[in-house]
Amino acid sequence: MAGWERKQTDTDKGIVIPDDWPGYPLDLFTYPEHYSEDLDCVYIPHGVIMDRTERLARNILEDLGDHDIVVLCVLKGGFQFCADLVDCIKVLCRNSNKTLPMRVDFIRLKSYLNDLSTPDLHIVGADNLSVLNGKNVLIVEVLSPSFPQAIVDTGKTMKTLLDHVESFKPKMIKVAGLLVKRVPSGTGYLPDYVGFEISNRFVVGYALDYNEYFRDLNHICVISDRGKQKYKI
């Protein structure tokens, strides 16, 4: 895709969490009591997420400052990260000689049933994105679809989304992803702005869900086998 090829350094991968990272014990943190037996560990605490999001906001402002952009939030899982990222950018703009005028639009990708993906990817609410024509676009996604929870580890999800956005002929496309997963069959694609590179574990919280549950967790946690069975549909 034109404009998307670029050399990436190791720092572009974000904070790398190793495969043997056990996470933090649950009793070190507060979380909704109704999930007390449904989680294995706190994988990334909320405070760490917020600190990393502020750093990404700084990088985005440094790179894209003084350009009008359309922030395209990928729902539902991306809404919290997008809101926090936009808030961080706004705060930085108030204390910087750069500014980043933003408007926010929304798109939804749906491909999961339980912890497995369905064969088809559905793009919801994307039938009329003509506003992207000639604009600088920042796609904000909490879990990068090129290293996702299930079938989209082939990179097909991101390719489908980028092809769709590209069809509206934007001036520029950048992607901010809070999480990318290391999976054997991944495409090697990385977002332009990465929060954390994580192992191939099914994580929930911070708006990431399992059948619509766990979005109310502030931390990113690893779901337990009991939790998967409890909320299975």
Side-chain angles (χ1 to χ4, degrees), residues 35-224:
Y35 294 141
S36 61
E37 298 182 3
D38 304 326
L39 304 168
D40 279 339
C41 66
V42 172
Y43 197 66
I44 309 175
H46 182 256
V48 177
I49 296 169
M50 294 304 298
D51 284 353
R52 181 59 183 154
T53 299
E54 181 179 354
R55 178 69 257 185
L56 294 180
R58 288 181 179 274
N59 294 344
I60 291 168
L61 183 60
E62 290 171 1
D63 292 347
L64 305 180
D66 301 322
H67 291 77
D68 289 15
I69 66 170
V70 178
V71 177
L72 188 60
C73 174
V74 180
L75 297 173
K76 293 182 181 178
F79 83 83
Q80 190 64 64
F81 174 49
C82 183
D84 289 339
L85 182 64
V86 168
D87 281 347
C88 286
I89 292 173
K90 290 191 295 185
V91 170
L92 292 171
C93 284
R94 291 199 293 267
N95 300 285
S96 172
N97 59 358
K98 285 190 174 185
T99 186
L100 190 60
M102 296 176 290
R103 60 166 292 173
V104 182
D105 215 324
F106 302 90
I107 196 171
R108 184 181 178 191
L109 307 181
K110 186 174 178 60
S111 64
Y112 286 99
L113 180 65
N114 300 319
D115 59 345
L116 299 175
S117 66
T118 57
D120 299 318
L121 173 71
H122 302 283
I123 303 178
V124 182
D127 51 342
N128 185 17
L129 290 176
S130 57
V131 67
L132 303 182
N133 183 265
K135 298 294 196 308
N136 298 308
V137 178
L138 176 67
I139 298 173
V140 178
E141 162 66 52
V142 68
L143 182 63
S144 174
S146 55
F147 297 88
Q149 313 250 54
I151 197 171
V152 281
D153 58 12
T154 60
K156 291 181 180 179
T157 300
M158 180 56 81
K159 183 179 187 303
T160 300
L161 176 57
L162 292 179
D163 286 347
H164 187 81
V165 172
E166 183 73 15
S167 70
F168 293 95
K169 301 188 184 322
K171 181 179 179 181
M172 176 184 69
I173 305 174
K174 296 288 186 180
V175 179
L178 181 65
L179 306 175
V180 295
K181 281 191 175 183
R182 294 185 297 275
V183 294
S185 55
T187 62
Y189 169 82
L190 284 177
D192 300 274
Y193 307 98
V194 178
F196 303 88
E197 180 188 296
I198 67 175
S199 60
N200 190 22
R201 305 178 74 178
F202 199 100
V203 292
V204 294
Y206 196 64
L208 282 168
D209 77 304
Y210 178 79
N211 293 330
E212 298 301 328
Y213 291 93
F214 300 100
R215 295 195 196 274
D216 52 337
L217 276 170
N218 285 333
H219 315 293
I220 292 176
C221 300
V222 176
I223 188 174
S224 67

